[in-house]
Amino acid sequence: MLLERIYDEDLSQAGYFLGCQQAGEALVVDPRRDIQVYLDLADHHGMRIAAVTETHLHADFLSGTRELAAATGATVHVSGEGGEDWQYGYAAERLHDGDALTLGSLTVTARHTPGHTPEHLILLVTDGAVADEPGYALTGDFVFSGDVGRPDLLDEVAGAQDTRFAGARQLFASLKSVFLTLPDHVQVFPGHGAGSPCGKALGALPSTTVGYERRFAWWAGHLAADDEQGFLDELLDGQPEPHAYFARMKRQNREGPSVMGERPVLRELTAQELRRGMEEGALALVDTRDVAEVHRGTVPGALSIPALGQAASHIAWAVDPETDDVELVVLAADARRAAEYGDHFVRVGVDRLIGYVTSLDALETAAPGVVSPEGLEHLRADGGTALLLDVRRRSEHAAGTIPGAAQLSAGKVLFRRDELPPREAGRVITFCQSGLRNAVASAALRRAGYDVVELEGSYAGWARWSAGQKEAAAPA
């Protein structure tokens, strides 16, 4: 038996490649859209990808199930559970509770585990060469290392009303009727790790066991005492704020993500081509330098994606491909590096990266608006400021913010502009914790026509300055 975890640090997402070496057949579970990693694994192990499946309709990334099936001829299997409202909208084999897939000596059995979503499945893997019962569980967003999947995303991103309570009860029931009936030795391989907003206390460990979670997970005591209400209260309290693009992911994954096929090779653009394209509104530059470099000068109207390791989530904050048909050009050292950005972008359905530039030297640049903590009050007092905006999460804002600041997280600013003052109302001063998220959000707003000034050092810088002011004013 072969079982390999493919982990995306950007989105804290895990997919799995498993199969029978003797039969030469493999199954891929929860793949992302840049599929070369799965093709390379199949080639390395001399295996054929015979089937592709996913545990549920994802909200945090765009599924690569159809992409991989189109490239390999694999059969697609998706959940047929959850009722009429939660059926996949494209042709595929449907899996119901108890259905099994066979790959040589391996048997992969689907179990319906509603709660995170109504259609959610986990996959129990039996290695028939050595055992006659499951030894492994691919749990998707049902059980994580140290946590369980949140049941409130349908309310938060899919427009449902108060489904979180029914989902939480379903999750409690699924833990009792499925997960806790498994033997302690069963190894658990979840769909996400630490940093994912699909839960609030996800561990960084790549795997766990049923026995460990039964004994040490926060929810275990509630299940042991049959304390459903205590479980619901603790589960629903303090869940992290989801990003606005999750609604698009959920919808596109249900309808069936478009199949890209072989992606075109990115080409290097000249400064003249980029300048003309930006003037015509056909192109947008993605400035990939760090925040300090961008503050020294960037091309007006450029987006800011300061870290490749977070490029997928950040580009989904800055571009809505359903309403913005602009083509993207990335600042990158070479074609290979540009292609890496393209891989991250397609994981969230931003497919229109066409090329790259290696330098801004031949382009006109300007420093974006930045104000120091000391100058903040002077700028607010001059009458031209419409809003001081904290783009951190709600929980961060509640724990302490700059007096008078409103809150709208960086992942929502582009999509909730009805909560911002009109563009003509005046400048918006923005901040996050250290400046990284703020750079992404402020550049997106500038491209959308807002007059944005970033707070230098963001909240951390302001807090240090404020503490210094208080210390200086204290009696000797």
Side-chain angles (χ1 to χ4, degrees):
M1 172 185 166
L2 176 72
L3 173 58
E4 295 210 26
R5 175 179 182 254
I6 300 93
Y7 194 68
D8 176 14
E9 298 275 356
D10 189 338
L11 298 172
S12 304
Q13 184 266 331
Y16 294 91
F17 183 102
L18 69 153
C20 175
Q21 295 101 320
Q22 186 175 7
E25 292 187 336
L27 165 70
V28 177
V29 180
D30 290 336
R32 64 195 194 212
R33 279 176 94 219
D34 52 315
I35 61 171
Q36 191 60 47
V37 61
Y38 312 106
L39 302 179
D40 289 346
L41 275 171
D43 182 64
H44 175 73
H45 292 291
M47 302 179 79
R48 177 179 71 90
I49 297 175
V52 189
T53 191
E54 52 195 64
T55 52
H56 65 293
L57 287 163
H58 299 282
D60 55 306
F61 74 102
L62 201 56
S63 167
T65 293
R66 297 184 73 226
E67 194 73 37
L68 188 55
T72 63
T75 301
V76 174
H77 301 268
V78 297
S79 176
E81 298 284 359
E84 183 179 349
D85 291 340
W86 296 102
Q87 294 301 301
Y88 285 75
Y90 57 89
E93 298 294 323
R94 294 310 200 252
L95 289 173
H96 295 89
D97 188 57
D99 287 350
L101 305 176
T102 302
L103 301 126
S105 62
L106 294 187
T107 302
V108 181
T109 304
R111 294 301 312 274
H112 184 213
T113 50
H116 174 67
T117 59
E119 79 292 345
H120 196 286
L121 302 174
I122 68 169
L123 302 173
L124 303 180
V125 182
T126 301
D127 182 0
V130 298
D132 59 2
E133 61 183 52
Y136 314 88
L138 309 185
T139 55
D141 288 18
F142 173 43
V143 173
F144 304 119
S145 293
D147 203 2
V148 291
R150 61 191 297 176
D152 62 322
L153 278 181
L154 300 185
D155 288 351
E156 293 280 359
V157 307
Q161 295 292 323
D162 293 331
T163 62
R164 67 189 68 203
F165 303 107
R169 293 187 183 92
Q170 287 179 327
L171 196 57
F172 186 84
S174 294
L175 288 167
K176 287 179 64 176
S177 64
V178 179
F179 188 77
L180 292 180
T181 65
L182 299 173
D184 282 351
H185 69 263
V186 172
Q187 296 184 51
V188 173
F189 293 91
H192 291 288
S196 169
C198 291
K200 63 179 177 179
L202 279 70
L205 291 173
S207 66
T208 182
T209 65
V210 171
Y212 192 88
E213 297 304 306
R214 187 196 310 274
R215 183 170 179 182
F216 296 112
W218 67 261
W219 51 264
H222 295 298
L223 269 292
D226 201 25
D227 177 19
E228 182 184 69
Q229 190 58 51
F231 172 83
L232 267 63
D233 292 343
E234 189 166 356
L235 174 64
L236 294 173
D237 180 55
Q239 287 289 353
E241 196 172 0
H243 304 307
Y245 76 87
F246 279 18
R248 175 171 60 86
M249 296 294 92
K250 179 70 78 172
R251 183 173 62 256
Q252 289 182 318
N253 280 328
R254 182 177 175 180
E255 295 169 353
S258 62
V259 175
M260 299 178 293
E262 186 173 352
R263 289 152 58 194
V265 175
L266 301 178
R267 67 182 186 89
E268 184 175 2
L269 276 73
T270 67
Q272 182 179 7
E273 286 178 298
L274 177 59
R275 187 184 307 112
R276 183 171 62 249
M278 291 186 71
E279 289 173 353
E280 294 171 352
L283 298 179
L285 172 66
V286 180
D287 192 334
T288 59
R289 297 173 301 155
D290 65 35
V291 176
E293 288 183 284
V294 170
H295 283 178
R296 286 192 285 271
T298 188
V299 177
L303 299 170
S304 178
I305 306 295
L308 175 60
Q310 296 172 277
S313 54
H314 287 169
I315 198 66
W317 297 358
V319 174
D320 181 357
E322 293 189 317
T323 61
D324 192 346
D325 61 358
V326 69
E327 294 181 319
L328 302 179
V329 177
V330 68
L331 175 62
D334 51 36
R336 182 193 62 80
R337 192 65 162 179
E340 287 186 77
Y341 280 95
D343 285 345
H344 284 250
F345 291 175
V346 299
R347 294 172 198 172
V348 289
V350 179
D351 301 347
R352 296 174 66 84
L353 179 63
I354 64 161
Y356 65 99
V357 292
T358 60
S359 171
L360 302 184
D361 290 346
L363 295 160
E364 294 183 10
T365 61
V370 178
V371 63
S372 68
E374 186 175 10
L376 174 62
E377 293 308 316
H378 299 295
L379 200 60
R380 295 176 75 184
D382 72 0
T385 297
L387 181 68
L388 175 63
L389 184 63
D390 184 345
V391 300
R392 298 176 300 163
R393 296 184 297 272
R394 286 189 299 250
S395 58
E396 294 174 283
H397 178 79
T401 190
I402 300 173
Q407 185 276 332
L408 186 60
S409 67
K412 293 182 176 178
V413 290
L414 191 72
F415 304 88
R416 300 280 183 85
R417 280 178 275 176
D418 57 327
E419 298 180 29
L420 301 176
R423 285 185 287 251
E424 62 273 13
R427 75 175 68 89
V428 178
I429 304 173
T430 59
F431 65 93
C432 64
Q433 184 64 26
S434 66
L436 184 68
R437 288 172 287 175
N438 192 36
V440 179
S442 62
L445 287 175
R446 287 192 190 100
R447 182 171 173 268
Y450 289 85
D451 177 9
V452 181
V453 174
E454 297 171 61
L455 177 59
E456 185 178 14
S458 273
Y459 182 72
W462 177 87
R464 288 191 297 270
W465 172 82
S466 181
Q469 295 294 106
K470 291 177 181 177
E471 182 178 344

